[in-house]
């Protein structure tokens, strides 16, 4: 009975989360003039690809895709270095105030990113980085969540392995490379998936700090495009553009679905 109840709850939640995606896909193939007037929002009378053609020709998707990839991968690459070194320090090194510093570090998880928009903008303006990809990336190069996640994984690695490598003459960075990194691979995959999905869909900070097409990511570009219609949003074209934005993430999820689930199971994320 308990299993049946759990499956029922999961199915209901899946349907709730799936309905907006299904509506978006259906609307993207519906002529914009029929979106408001159609009786059933999940029916298509005359499916068309014109919305996708219009969106692709109107929006500089290639430029936005390139900007987003540079931003997302740039953030992830630096985060992998910073969270690894910080997690190793908190997990294996002993220094004065270690516990207190770690708690203060974790407080960042409870601070909403939107609160830091004004000070971050002031700093970027002082550095002369406004309207650049680097301005979008810099505030996210450190991740308290990633440090916490990786520290828990490192602490589960037997200390004897660490001591054995030191007996063999390995330096700390060699121990980190040959012992800790391979053992924490599922955690790295889990954190990488979270980082990529989060910054692919990030909107508020890029909207504030960018002004031109050369720096804007997909989310900001689509939002500005949706507001450019003088007679109201053309929902067929807007939803088609939305599908083009989320399509890479959906494709990646379906291709790496097994690795996605296994990484979260091994990393202990709930």
């Amino acid at each position: 009975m308990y299993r049946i109840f759990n499956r029922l709850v999961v199915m209901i939640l899946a349907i709730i989360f799936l309905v907006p995606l299904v509506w978006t896909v259906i609307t993207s193939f519906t002529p914009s003039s029929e979106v408001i007037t159609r009786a059933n929002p999940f029916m298509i009378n005359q499916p068309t690809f014109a919305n996708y053609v219009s969106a692709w020709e109107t929006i500089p998707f290639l430029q936005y895709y390139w900007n987003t990839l540079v931003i997302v991968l740039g953030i992830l690459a630096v985060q992998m270095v910073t969270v690894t070194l910080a997690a190793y320090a908190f997990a294996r090194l002993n220094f004065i105030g270690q516990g207190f510093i770690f708690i203060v570090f974790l407080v960042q998880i409870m601070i909403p990113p939107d609160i830091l928009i004004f000070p971050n903008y002031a700093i970027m303006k002082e550095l002369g980085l406004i309207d650049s990809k680097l301005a979008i990336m810099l505030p996210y190069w450190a991740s308290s969540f990633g440090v916490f996640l990786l520290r828990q994984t490192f602490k589960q690695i037997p200390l004897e392995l660490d001591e054995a490598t030191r007996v063999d003459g390995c330096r700390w960075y060699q121990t980190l490379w040959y012992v800790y990194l391979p053992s924490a691979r599922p955690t790295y995959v889990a954190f990488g998936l979270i980082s990529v999905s989060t910054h692919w869909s990030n909107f508020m900070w890029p909207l504030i700090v960018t002004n031109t097409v050369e720096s804007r990511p997909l989310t900001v570009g689509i939002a500005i495009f949706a507001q450019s219609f003088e007679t109201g949003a053309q929902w067929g074209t807007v939803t088609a553009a939305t599908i083009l934005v989320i399509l890479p993430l959906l494709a990646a999820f379906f291709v790496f679905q097994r690795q996605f689930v296994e990484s979260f199971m091994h990393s202990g994320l709930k």
Side-chain angles (χ1 to χ4, degrees):
M1 186 66 183
Y2 182 73
R3 289 185 177 179
I4 296 176
F5 177 75
N6 282 345
R7 290 182 180 179
L8 182 61
V9 172
V10 170
M11 290 178 61
I12 293 174
L13 292 176
I15 293 173
I16 292 174
F17 281 99
L18 193 61
V19 166
L21 179 61
V22 173
W23 179 86
T24 303
V25 173
I26 292 176
T27 305
S28 68
F29 290 100
T30 304
S32 297
S33 58
E34 299 180 7
V35 173
I36 305 299
T37 59
R38 59 181 177 174
N40 189 340
F42 296 97
M43 290 291 292
I44 307 177
N45 295 327
Q46 297 178 347
T48 177
F49 282 96
N51 294 327
Y52 287 91
V53 175
S54 176
W56 186 266
E57 292 178 348
T58 306
I59 306 173
F61 268 104
L62 293 180
Q63 181 67 53
Y64 286 153
Y65 274 125
W66 170 252
N67 295 344
T68 306
L69 285 173
V70 170
I71 292 168
V72 169
L73 297 180
I75 291 174
L76 180 61
V78 178
Q79 279 183 339
M80 287 299 184
V81 177
T82 57
V83 301
T84 298
L85 296 178
Y88 180 77
F90 284 122
R92 287 293 183 253
L93 301 184
N94 295 317
F95 51 89
I96 299 175
Q98 180 183 20
F100 176 75
I101 295 175
F102 182 65
I103 292 175
V104 173
F105 196 81
L106 289 182
V107 171
Q108 299 178 55
I109 299 178
M110 297 182 290
I111 301 176
D114 293 344
I115 294 179
L116 303 176
I117 286 180
F118 179 76
N120 285 339
Y121 185 88
I123 293 174
M124 296 305 154
K125 186 175 181 180
E126 290 293 329
L127 295 175
L129 296 177
I130 297 298
D131 194 25
S132 68
K133 301 180 186 68
L134 188 59
I136 302 176
M137 294 187 284
L138 267 174
Y140 301 102
W141 276 356
S143 171
S144 54
F145 172 75
V147 173
F148 170 75
L149 188 65
L150 207 56
R151 172 185 177 270
Q152 300 306 110
T153 302
F154 284 172
K155 289 184 74 68
Q156 296 175 7
I157 298 174
L159 189 59
E160 290 76 10
L161 293 176
D162 197 312
E163 296 173 348
T165 57
R166 294 185 181 182
V167 171
D168 291 337
C170 291
R171 297 183 180 275
W172 67 269
Y173 53 85
Q174 292 174 314
T175 302
L176 185 63
W177 181 263
Y178 291 109
V179 175
Y180 287 87
L181 267 65
S183 301
R185 186 174 301 171
T187 305
Y188 280 110
V189 173
F191 175 70
L193 292 170
I194 293 173
S195 177
V196 169
S197 61
T198 298
H199 298 293
W200 187 279
S201 58
N202 191 15
F203 174 74
M204 184 60 67
W205 173 242
L207 174 66
I208 292 175
V209 82
T210 59
N211 301 316
T212 60
V213 173
E214 287 71 20
S215 302
R216 289 174 183 151
L218 280 165
T219 51
V220 178
I222 297 303
I224 294 176
F225 168 74
Q227 296 175 359
S228 63
F229 297 103
E230 297 181 356
T231 59
Q234 303 294 320
W235 290 112
T237 307
V238 172
T239 52
T242 302
I243 293 298
L244 292 175
V245 172
I246 66 176
L247 190 60
L249 289 181
L250 290 176
F253 174 77
F254 285 116
V255 171
F256 300 104
Q257 183 177 5
R258 176 176 296 181
Q259 293 85 341
F260 183 87
V261 175
E262 290 179 352
S263 64
F264 280 89
M265 292 176 61
H266 285 89
S267 63
L269 280 179
K270 302 295 183 181

